[in-house]
Amino acid sequence: MHIRFHAAIAELPAAEWDALRADANPFVSHAFLDALERSGCIRPDWGWQAHHVGLYEDGRLRAAAPLYLKGNSHGEFVFDWSWASAWQRAGGEYYPKLLNGVPYSPVPGPRLLAGNHVRTPSLQRELVEAMRREAERLGLSSVHANFLQPAELAAFDDDVPDQGWLARSDVQFHWHNHGYRHFPDFLAALNHKKRKNILHERRQVAASGLAIEWRSGDTLDDDEWQRVHALYEATFDMKGNHAALTAAFFRRLGTLGSTAQLALARDGAAIVAMALFVQSSNVLYGRYWGASVDVPGLHFELCYYRGIEHAIAHQLDRFEPGAQGEHKLARGFLPVRTHSRHYLVNPDFRAAVAKALASEAEAVDAYAAGLRSHSPYAAHGQVER
C-alpha cells in the first residue's frame, strides 16, 4: 500500500474518489471539494491548505480522506479554541494542525472513504494511521476528524487505552420522514401547541405579500446567483462574521445538476430572501440563509417548512437543517448525536484534554436527555435515530 498526500483534490482521480464513498453524500464528492478549491474558498491566508491523503495499491486509489492543514479553527464547527489557547499558554504551537473534514460544513457524513466491502475496516484504519503518522512527521500538535459516521468510529479505536484518539460528541436536530403524504400530514403528527404555532408562522408569511418559490440551482441565471450570494454575504457581515464562500463557488454549485436547491422569496421580481440547500438522493441539507427584509416567520418558512415540504414531495428520508438551534425542536426536528475524534501528539496535553472531555460528555448526555423529554410529536414513537 502506497500513501500519498495531495495539495489539491484535482490531483486525485474523480471517478475513483467518488466510487469510494459509502453513500452519495454530496459534501465529500470530488466535484464539491474541487469547487471549493477552484473558486477561492480554500486559501492558506484563511487557514485552509489541502493535504488530502490517498492510499494506492497497484497504481489504483483504494482509500482516501479529505484532509487539510489548518492555520486556525474557523469553519470547523467542532470548537477547540480553548485547547489551542491552553497549549499556546504552555509554550506550544497548536497551529497548524490536521483536519479530516469538509470545510465550512457541519454535516455528518463519510470521512474515511474506503468503499463498502470486506476490506473497508482495514483500509479505514490505514487512513487513520496515515494521518497520525503525518502529524508526527510534520511536528504538528494534533489531528481532528469531525462529523464522522458511526460506522467509521471503530477505525479510531486504539489498542492502548488513554493513549490514542479522544472521543467527542455533540447534538444536532434532524427531521425524519415517517412516510408523510404532505405537509398537513406531518403537522397532524405534532402536538396541538406546536401545530398551532407553525400554522401561525406560515400565515404571517402568507400575509406579507411575498411570493415564495422553490428552485433547483441549475435553473438560476448568473444574476440570480449573484443576488443569492449577496444575501448570504450580508447576513455574515451583519453578524460580524467572515463570509468564506465566494460568489464563484455559488455559481459553480449551479453547474452541479440538482445538488443545490433554493427557497426564494420575491417582492415583485426582486429576490429579497433566500435559503440555500444541498441535496443528495435521499437527504436534504440546509446550509445558508439571507434576507434584505424583516418579515415575521420568513426565516422559518424558507429554512424549515419549505424544506420539509420538498423532502416530503420527493420522498427524501430526512432533512438536516444545519448546526445548533434548539428552536428547531419545536418545528419537528429531533436531537441526534454527532461524533468527532481527536489525536493530540503530546501525551500530557492529551491527558489534560481527556479529563476535560469526560466532564463535557456528562453535560452533553444530560442536555440530550433533556431534549428528548420535550418531543414536539403527539406520539411517543417519534424518537431520534
Side-chain angles (χ1 to χ4, degrees):
M1 194 72 67
H2 176 60
I3 299 169
R4 289 178 56 195
F5 291 88
H6 299 269
I9 193 71
E11 294 179 4
L12 290 113
E16 292 182 18
W17 174 284
D18 286 338
L20 294 173
R21 293 181 294 164
D23 61 46
N25 184 292
F27 294 92
V28 291
S29 71
H30 193 280
F32 186 89
L33 297 173
D34 188 56
L36 284 170
E37 292 182 18
R38 290 183 186 271
S39 60
C41 302
I42 306 302
R43 295 164 41 175
D45 56 322
W46 287 357
W48 294 90
Q49 184 175 337
H51 200 64
H52 308 302
V53 58
L55 271 59
Y56 296 85
E57 186 178 51
D58 299 326
R60 185 172 179 83
L61 187 66
R62 299 296 184 186
L67 193 63
Y68 299 88
L69 288 162
K70 285 300 283 24
N72 54 42
S73 294
H74 290 292
E76 300 176 23
F77 299 93
V78 177
F79 303 112
D80 63 347
W81 301 103
S82 61
W83 304 359
S85 178
W87 187 234
Q88 287 168 290
R89 285 197 305 271
E93 291 290 337
Y94 193 75
Y95 305 109
K97 61 181 183 177
L98 275 178
L99 172 68
N100 172 215
V102 178
Y104 315 116
S105 302
V107 178
R111 297 295 182 262
L112 306 174
L113 313 184
N116 186 20
H117 47 75
V118 67
R119 293 184 62 193
T120 295
S122 62
L123 290 171
Q124 289 177 333
R125 285 183 177 274
E126 287 284 348
L127 287 170
V128 170
E129 285 305 306
M131 291 188 287
R132 178 156 59 178
R133 289 194 300 267
E134 182 70 353
E136 293 172 346
R137 184 184 74 84
L138 295 175
L140 306 182
S141 69
S142 52
V143 191
H144 308 262
N146 292 350
F147 298 102
L148 294 157
Q149 289 186 326
E152 296 173 316
L153 299 179
F156 295 87
D157 291 343
D158 255 270
D159 296 331
V160 183
D162 302 323
Q163 293 187 22
W165 294 80
L166 303 178
R168 203 174 186 190
S169 181
D170 206 346
V171 175
Q172 285 188 358
F173 298 86
H174 298 171
W175 177 89
H176 290 90
N177 189 351
H178 295 282
Y180 302 117
R181 296 166 296 167
H182 39 56
F183 196 84
D185 198 22
F186 155 66
L187 284 179
L190 300 174
N191 64 48
H192 174 73
K193 181 180 178 181
K194 299 301 187 291
R195 181 166 61 249
K196 181 179 177 181
N197 288 342
I198 290 173
L199 289 171
H200 172 67
E201 289 171 344
R202 302 203 80 180
R203 282 195 296 267
Q204 287 180 307
V205 177
S208 71
L210 297 178
I212 312 297
E213 62 181 17
W214 188 277
R215 296 276 298 278
S216 180
D218 54 2
T219 69
L220 269 64
D221 62 30
D222 284 346
D223 289 342
E224 289 173 316
W225 271 119
Q226 191 65 40
R227 177 58 179 162
V228 166
H229 184 266
L231 290 168
Y232 150 80
E233 196 170 42
T235 300
F236 272 72
D237 290 344
M238 180 176 62
K239 296 180 179 180
N241 295 326
H242 172 63
L245 300 181
T246 63
F249 173 73
F250 273 43
R251 287 194 296 271
R252 284 185 70 94
L253 272 183
T255 68
L256 302 182
S258 60
T259 296
Q261 299 286 323
L262 299 100
L264 304 176
R266 292 183 185 267
D267 184 359
I271 299 174
V272 295
M274 70 85 192
L276 174 64
F277 305 81
V278 171
Q279 182 177 313
S280 72
S281 60
N282 66 321
V283 184
L284 184 68
Y285 303 92
R287 299 306 305 120
Y288 299 104
W289 141 269
S292 60
V293 294
D294 185 12
V295 174
L298 184 59
H299 173 265
F300 302 130
E301 178 69 23
L302 296 187
C303 294
Y304 305 143
Y305 305 143
R306 294 290 169 149
I308 290 173
E309 284 186 338
H310 178 81
I312 292 172
H314 291 81
Q315 300 180 331
L316 304 181
D317 294 334
R318 66 183 185 276
F319 171 21
E320 301 182 13
Q324 304 168 330
E326 291 181 18
H327 59 277
K328 296 167 184 169
L329 185 65
R331 292 163 180 88
F333 297 85
L334 293 176
V336 298
R337 301 301 286 266
T338 61
H339 305 278
S340 61
R341 292 294 183 268
H342 309 267
Y343 177 72
L344 306 177
V345 174
N346 182 279
D348 294 332
F349 185 35
R350 185 162 65 243
V353 171
K355 185 176 180 180
L357 285 179
S359 178
E360 179 186 90
E362 291 181 2
V364 173
D365 287 344
Y367 173 64
L371 290 170
R372 287 194 295 272
S373 68
H374 292 88
S375 172
Y377 291 92
H380 294 296
Q382 304 275 26
V383 296
E384 64 175 296
R385 294 183 179 181

